[in-house]
């Protein structure tokens, strides 16, 4: 049982165990040091070659007797037949069998073998080729023609069979027969190479008209750009320029929208260029650039620029270069339509050319790319497309109605509930003013205040009404402004300034009072300063002092004290019956009183603000020094602090610490306190020392 399992039918009576190659067990190398004599790989191979045993070849058999030849043939045929019975589908066996019969000059038997092989697999074109080659080689022409005829009938889509058949007929000089075979082939509508072979065949025999007819059928069978270009070049080669132009024109009519139309237009233009028809070529290039999508016209642009450089004038060259740049911009905006910088460059290019239709088309395409999200940062670049469009229509195109429509559409497009652009509202209103349409401008600005009120809109609207002298409208606008933004100190100040310019002092004062009474203000210091400056300008010094006192009740800031002192130093009331000298003395006294109050405040209530206190004393000293004889510098000098340079340890962001130098101020009253502290510490130390000695 074990021997039957190990047996293999391909090995005959031997088992797998008998056929195994037993290699010697590899010995472990103990000494791995290199041998004194080294052997190269070449020597090893040479020795192996020398020791190889001679190949055993079968003896050559010489046949000298017809009987022996018959036996040899019978044996070989039996071997082939046995082999065919085993591997009937193997084509190479059939071919070897048939070629052997051919070598024995037994052509009938050879044909019989070929026919039997074709019955097994008639779709194998190799069999047909070998069969026909055998017939041709042995000059059986009719037999070969019969084989080819059957082959192309059964396998009409195998081009090689047709080529071989036609080649045989042409070699035999049977041109009519070859043409007939070509015609049979063309009915099957082969690929381009088959048609071109037919055309070349006719041209070899100088049959121009026949070739032209074949070209006509060819372009109908394969209506592609390459086929039409070949046809036109054929006509050009034969000197038929009108016919060639006609072919190109027919091709353009049929294939203007084809994907390969660029090649057709380039070939057509180059044809006209060779015919010295520069204007025709230019028209073709321009027609092509207008009809072919920009993404597929790269080669066309390059050729057009080269053409214009060669044949065109300056204007033509510039137009070609513009076309090339236009192609680049088209490519950019196609890849990313929301890249507004590319749109701006593209629009600038079209504006420089001066074609209004093209410029408007690009503007319309650009503004159609609305930002995807309703967030202002995405709209900031986009909105300038609308602004530039409106300015172009107004300034360059001179179409006021279109400008008005652009502004109207732009304002409709902006989502005013989420954000708005004051610039657009103001530009639209200013445009209406330039058109002397004041009612329209007021309507736009009124809509702006109603839908999206902004500082810029209020300011510009007030400025327009003020220039027109409509004071009541200005007052109403200021009231609206302050209703919308009551914390806006700028609006309060400007409103009061307007009333003051109209000599309405009481109204201005009332506005200031309302302003400082507001619970929240964005810049209160400016408002208070404006109010105080207003009272000072009106020579109401007492009211200004009251304002300063009210301000000091709210804040004790250093700047307020200094401003108050400077006001007192310069507050000369001309209505009093005093000499100038006496008024200056009173001013300086009042300024000193303010400085002393400030100094007392910083000394008692804010002792940590040493730097502010030092600055206050410096201002006081400057005042005394600049007052000449009326000033007394010694009053301030005794109060001036000493500057001390000290060090302190501060911690940094990374957790480490470093030493920093700073300037500290030591005032005279603090020096006495420091001395007392030193004496107290010394007394305490002495007392501790005595108590330790007693112990």
């Amino acid at each position: 049982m074990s021997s039957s399992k190990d047996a293999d039918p391909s090995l005959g009576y031997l088992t797998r165990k008998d056929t195994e190659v037993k290699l010697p067990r590899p010995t472990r190398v103990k000494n791995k040091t290199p041998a004194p004599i080294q052997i190269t790989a070449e020597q090893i191979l040479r020795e192996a070659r020398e020791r190889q045993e001679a190949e055993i070849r079968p003896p050559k058999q010489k046949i000298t007797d017809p009987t022996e030849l018959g036996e040899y043939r019978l044996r070989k045929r039996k071997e082939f037949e046995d082999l065919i019975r085993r591997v009937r589908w193997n084509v190479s066996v059939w071919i070897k069998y048939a070629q052997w019969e051919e070598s024995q000059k037994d052509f009938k038997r050879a044909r019989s073998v070929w026919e039997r092989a074709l019955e097994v697999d008639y779709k194998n074109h190799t069999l047909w080729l070998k069969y026909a080659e055998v017939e041709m080689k042995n000059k059986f022409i009719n037999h070969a023609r019969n084989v080819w005829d059957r082959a192309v009938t059964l396998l009409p889509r195998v081009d090689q069979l047709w080529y071989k058949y036609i080649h045989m007929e042409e070699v035999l000089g049977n041109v009519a027969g070859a043409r007939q075979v070509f015609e049979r082939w063309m009915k099957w509508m082969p690929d381009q190479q088959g048609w071109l072979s037919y055309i070349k065949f006719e041209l070899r025999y100088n049959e121009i008209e026949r070739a032209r007819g074949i070209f006509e059928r060819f372009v109908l069978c394969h209506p592609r750009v390459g086929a039409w270009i070949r046809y036109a070049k054929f006509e050009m080669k034969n000197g038929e320029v009108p016919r060639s132009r006609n072919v190109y024109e027919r091709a353009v009519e049929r294939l203007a929208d084809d994907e390969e139309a660029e090649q057709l237009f380039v070939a057509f233009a180059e044809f006209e260029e060779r015919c010295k028809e520069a204007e025709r070529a230019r028209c073709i290039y321009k027609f092509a650039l207008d009809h072919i999508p920009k993404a597929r016209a790269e080669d066309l642009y390059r050729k057009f620029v080269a053409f214009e450089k060669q044949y065109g004038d300056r204007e033509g060259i510039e137009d070609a270069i513009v076309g090339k740049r236009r192609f680049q911009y088209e490519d950019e905006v196609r890849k990313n339509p929301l890249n507004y910088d590319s749109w701006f460059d593209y629009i600038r290019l079209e504006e420089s050319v001066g074609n209004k239709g093209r410029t408007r088309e690009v503007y319309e395409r650009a503004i159609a790319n609305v930002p995807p999200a309703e967030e202002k940062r995405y709209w900031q670049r986009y909105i300038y497309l609308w602004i530039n469009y409106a300015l172009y229509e107004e300034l360059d195109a001179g179409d006021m109605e279109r400008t008005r429509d652009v502004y109207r559409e732009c304002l409709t497009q902006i989502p005013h509930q989420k954000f708005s652009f004051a610039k657009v509202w103001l530009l639209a209103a200013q445009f209406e003013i330039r058109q002397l349409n004041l009612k329209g401008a007021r309507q736009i600005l009124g809509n702006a205040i109603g839908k999206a009120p902004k500082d810029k809109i209020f300011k510009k609207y007030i400025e327009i009404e003020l220039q027109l002298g409509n004071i009541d409208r200005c007052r109403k606008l200021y009231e609206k402004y302050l209703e919308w933004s009551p914390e806006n100190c700028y609006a309060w100040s400007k409103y009061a300034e307007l009333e003051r310019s109209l000599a309405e002092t009481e109204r201005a004062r009332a506005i200031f009072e309302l302003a400082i009474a507001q619970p929240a203000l964005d810049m209160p210091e400016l408002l208070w300063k404006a109010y105080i400056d207003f009272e000072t300008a009106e020579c109401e010094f007492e009211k200004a002092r009251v304002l300063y006192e009210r301000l000091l009740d709210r804040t004790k800031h250093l700047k307020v004290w200094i401003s108050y002192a400077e006001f007192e130093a310069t507050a000369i009331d001309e209505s009093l019956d005093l000499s100038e000298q006496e008024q200056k003395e009173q001013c300086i006294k009042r300024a000193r009183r303010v400085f002393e109050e400030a100094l007392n405040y910083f000394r008692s209530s804010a002792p940590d603000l040493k730097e502010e206190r030092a600055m206050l004393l410096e201002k006081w000293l400057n005042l005394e020094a600049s007052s000449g004889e009326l000033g007394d510098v010694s009053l301030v000098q005794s109060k001036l602090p000493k500057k001390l340079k000290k060090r302190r340890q501060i911690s940094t962001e990374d957790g480490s610490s470093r030493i920093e130098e700073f300037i500290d101020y030591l005032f005279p009253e603090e020096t006495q306190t420091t001395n007392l502290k030193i004496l107290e510490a010394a007394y305490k130390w002495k007392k501790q020392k005595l108590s330790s000695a007693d112990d």
Side-chain angles (χ1 to χ4, degrees):
M1 290 294 289
S2 63
S3 63
S4 65
K5 283 182 182 178
D6 293 340
D8 191 343
S10 64
L11 300 174
Y13 60 88
L14 297 174
T15 62
R16 283 198 182 92
K17 195 170 183 181
D18 295 332
T19 57
E20 282 179 0
V21 179
K22 293 181 180 178
L23 298 171
R25 183 179 295 173
T27 55
R28 294 182 65 185
V29 180
K30 294 181 180 179
N31 184 9
K32 294 185 179 181
T33 57
I37 300 170
Q38 295 293 316
I39 302 173
T40 62
E42 187 183 354
Q43 287 174 307
I44 294 169
L45 291 170
R46 194 185 302 122
E47 285 183 15
R49 182 75 178 167
E50 288 171 357
R51 295 182 184 183
Q52 194 173 9
E53 294 180 2
E55 187 180 351
I56 300 169
R57 295 180 181 178
K60 289 184 179 180
Q61 186 179 5
K62 290 184 180 180
I63 298 170
T64 55
D65 191 354
T67 309
E68 194 175 354
L69 177 60
E71 289 176 0
Y72 163 72
R73 285 177 175 173
L74 183 65
R75 188 172 67 252
K76 286 293 285 184
R77 285 187 183 116
K78 187 177 182 304
E79 286 175 7
F80 276 121
E81 291 293 342
D82 291 342
L83 197 57
I84 284 168
R85 272 196 298 275
R86 274 190 291 163
V87 284
R88 189 166 179 268
W89 59 87
N90 195 335
V91 176
S92 61
V93 175
W94 288 103
I95 292 171
K96 286 178 183 176
Y97 188 9
Q99 287 174 344
W100 181 82
E101 290 290 1
E102 182 204 353
S103 68
Q104 299 301 313
K105 303 298 181 185
D106 194 343
F107 296 111
K108 287 185 179 180
R109 282 183 180 274
R111 284 192 193 100
S112 175
V113 173
W114 285 116
E115 293 296 337
R116 286 167 63 198
L118 289 171
E119 284 178 8
V120 173
D121 186 10
Y122 76 91
K123 291 183 180 179
N124 191 330
H125 67 279
T126 309
L127 277 174
W128 291 102
L129 290 169
K130 297 280 186 185
Y131 187 7
E133 282 173 7
V134 167
E135 296 290 9
M136 287 192 299
K137 187 169 66 175
N138 294 289
K139 299 183 180 180
F140 297 115
I141 304 303
N142 287 329
H143 281 287
R145 192 174 280 131
N146 184 27
V147 171
W148 287 125
D149 195 57
R150 288 163 59 203
V152 297
T153 305
L154 291 170
L155 302 173
R157 292 295 176 193
V158 181
D159 294 346
Q160 195 176 4
L161 297 174
W162 292 102
Y163 285 128
K164 291 279 188 181
Y165 189 7
I166 292 160
H167 179 67
M168 183 192 80
E169 295 291 1
E170 196 174 357
V171 168
L172 293 171
N174 186 9
V175 176
R179 186 175 290 119
Q180 193 176 359
V181 175
F182 263 123
E183 286 297 333
R184 282 177 63 192
W185 188 15
M186 294 306 115
K187 287 178 183 177
W188 290 96
M189 294 186 178
D191 60 2
Q192 289 193 20
Q193 197 56 45
W195 289 94
L196 295 174
S197 299
Y198 191 8
I199 291 163
K200 286 177 184 175
F201 165 78
E202 295 293 1
L203 290 175
R204 278 199 295 274
Y205 298 99
N206 205 22
E207 295 284 351
I208 305 298
E209 283 301 323
R210 284 182 181 275
R212 187 172 288 122
I214 297 162
F215 260 121
E216 287 291 342
R217 291 158 61 195
F218 172 38
V219 294
L220 290 174
C221 180
H222 295 282
R224 294 180 188 169
V225 169
W228 285 98
I229 291 173
R230 283 179 182 274
Y231 187 10
K233 286 182 177 177
F234 158 76
E235 295 290 6
M236 185 67 183
K237 191 175 180 182
N238 291 304
E240 298 285 349
V241 173
R243 282 180 182 272
S244 181
R245 185 175 288 120
N246 183 36
V247 170
Y248 275 121
E249 288 169 358
R250 285 163 58 201
V252 169
E253 284 175 12
R254 298 188 184 189
L255 303 175
D257 299 326
D258 193 79
E259 288 185 358
E260 298 176 344
E262 181 191 10
Q263 297 175 18
L264 176 63
F265 284 114
V266 169
F268 194 3
E270 287 177 348
F271 159 75
E272 295 292 359
E273 198 176 333
R274 282 194 295 273
C275 295
K276 310 298 182 185
E277 294 283 353
E279 280 305 315
R280 279 177 176 272
R282 185 176 287 109
C283 291
I284 291 162
Y285 275 124
K286 289 183 177 179
F287 177 83
L289 292 172
D290 290 338
H291 285 76
I292 293 178
K294 303 297 184 288
R296 299 205 305 262
E298 189 173 353
D299 187 48
L300 190 66
Y301 273 115
R302 192 173 63 252
K303 297 273 187 183
F304 183 38
V305 172
F307 169 79
E308 286 293 351
K309 285 180 180 176
Q310 187 173 358
Y311 296 100
D313 53 5
R314 182 177 176 181
E315 187 179 346
I317 294 168
E318 287 178 0
D319 188 36
I321 292 167
V322 164
K324 189 174 182 182
R325 285 173 61 197
R326 188 179 288 130
F327 167 74
Q328 293 170 353
Y329 290 137
E330 281 288 345
D331 189 45
E332 287 178 19
V333 298
R334 180 176 52 79
K335 288 177 182 174
N336 184 8
L338 296 175
N339 184 1
Y340 299 120
D341 290 330
S342 298
W343 284 111
F344 283 123
D345 294 338
Y346 194 1
I347 289 164
R348 203 174 296 118
L349 172 70
E350 294 296 351
E351 286 180 354
S352 66
V353 173
N355 189 332
K356 291 182 183 179
R358 270 187 176 277
T359 307
R360 281 176 179 149
E361 181 196 346
V362 176
Y363 266 121
E364 291 293 338
R365 287 171 57 201
I367 60 178
N369 296 294
V370 182
E374 290 186 349
E375 292 183 31
K376 192 165 185 177
R377 59 196 176 101
Y378 295 122
W379 285 65
Q380 282 171 339
R381 293 292 289 161
Y382 171 70
I383 210 68
Y384 275 97
L385 287 170
W386 285 99
I387 292 170
N388 289 357
Y389 190 9
L391 293 174
Y392 169 77
E393 290 292 354
E394 182 186 359
L395 302 175
D396 294 352
D399 192 337
M400 302 309 160
E401 282 305 316
R402 282 184 72 93
T403 308
R404 192 171 283 114
D405 292 342
V406 170
Y407 277 125
R408 191 182 299 119
E409 189 62 32
C410 176
L411 292 170
T412 308
Q413 193 87 24
I414 299 169
H416 299 290
Q417 294 79 15
K418 297 189 177 180
F419 58 85
S420 186
F421 292 94
K423 184 185 286 292
V424 180
W425 290 104
L426 294 175
L427 285 170
Q430 286 165 350
F431 164 73
E432 294 295 351
I433 290 169
R434 285 194 294 275
Q435 303 308 309
L436 305 178
N437 184 7
L438 195 59
K439 185 180 177 183
R442 281 179 176 147
Q443 189 178 358
I444 289 167
L445 291 170
N447 287 338
I449 290 170
K451 288 183 179 178
K454 288 194 166 217
D455 284 332
K456 283 183 182 177
I457 295 170
F458 277 111
K459 288 174 187 175
K460 196 67 183 176
Y461 197 180
I462 291 165
E463 182 187 335
I464 290 167
E465 294 295 353
L466 196 58
Q467 287 173 351
L468 295 169
N470 294 323
I471 304 302
D472 289 336
R473 279 184 180 273
C474 290
R475 283 176 177 151
K476 285 179 183 176
L477 286 170
Y478 270 122
E479 287 168 11
K480 290 277 186 186
Y481 193 0
L482 293 169
E483 280 177 23
W484 172 68
S485 178
E487 74 282 352
N488 192 330
C489 292
Y490 173 84
W492 288 106
S493 303
K494 285 292 179 182
Y495 192 8
E497 189 181 322
L498 171 68
E499 296 295 354
R500 187 191 167 202
S501 66
L502 298 170
E504 295 282 353
T505 310
E506 290 304 319
R507 287 178 73 96
R509 191 173 284 119
I511 290 164
F512 273 124
E513 285 296 333
L514 277 172
I516 61 176
Q518 295 299 315
L521 293 168
D522 55 359
M523 289 186 290
E525 65 278 3
L526 294 180
L527 187 64
W528 281 94
K529 185 177 184 305
Y531 193 5
I532 291 166
D533 290 346
F534 163 73
E535 295 292 4
T536 307
E538 295 293 325
C539 295
E540 297 285 351
F541 296 115
E542 284 304 321
K543 288 182 178 178
R545 286 190 189 95
V546 172
L547 282 174
Y548 269 118
E549 293 297 335
R550 286 167 67 187
L551 182 56
L552 286 170
D553 290 341
R554 295 193 181 195
T555 177
K556 304 284 187 180
H557 197 274
L558 172 67
K559 288 184 178 179
V560 179
W561 288 108
I562 292 171
S563 177
Y564 190 10
E566 288 176 348
F567 160 74
E568 291 291 10
T570 56
I572 299 173
D573 192 353
E574 295 178 358
S575 62
L576 297 174
D577 296 332
L578 294 173
S579 64
E580 187 179 347
Q581 188 74 9
E582 289 173 347
Q583 285 195 7
K584 282 185 178 179
E585 284 181 17
Q586 287 185 2
C587 289
I588 290 169
K589 285 178 183 178
R590 286 196 295 269
R592 282 175 186 155
R593 179 182 59 78
V594 173
F595 275 123
E596 285 172 358
E597 285 180 14
L599 204 60
N600 289 334
Y601 164 75
F602 281 114
R603 187 187 298 128
S604 57
S605 301
D608 295 336
L609 302 175
K610 292 184 176 182
E611 192 171 354
E612 283 79 355
R613 191 172 162 193
M615 288 171 68
L616 186 72
L617 286 168
E618 190 177 345
K619 286 284 182 184
W620 190 2
L621 183 64
N622 291 340
L623 174 69
E624 296 290 352
S626 62
S627 298
E629 295 178 357
L630 299 174
D632 188 358
V633 179
S634 60
L635 284 174
V636 187
Q637 283 180 339
S638 60
K639 298 175 183 179
L640 289 172
K642 291 181 181 178
K643 285 186 180 180
L644 301 175
K645 190 181 283 188
K646 293 187 178 181
R647 294 183 180 182
R648 61 185 169 194
Q649 191 171 359
I650 59 168
S651 58
T652 56
E653 292 179 357
D654 56 356
S656 59
S657 59
R658 62 185 180 86
I659 304 297
E660 182 188 54
E661 286 189 352
F662 69 100
I663 302 295
D664 195 12
Y665 295 93
L666 189 64
F667 290 90
E669 64 270 15
E670 290 179 341
T671 309
Q672 296 173 4
T673 310
T674 307
N675 291 338
L676 288 171
K677 285 181 179 178
I678 291 169
L679 288 170
E680 188 179 347
Y683 177 72
K684 190 176 180 181
W685 172 76
K686 188 174 181 183
K687 191 175 180 181
Q688 285 178 354
K689 193 174 181 183
L690 288 171
S691 62
S692 62
D694 291 341
D695 291 342

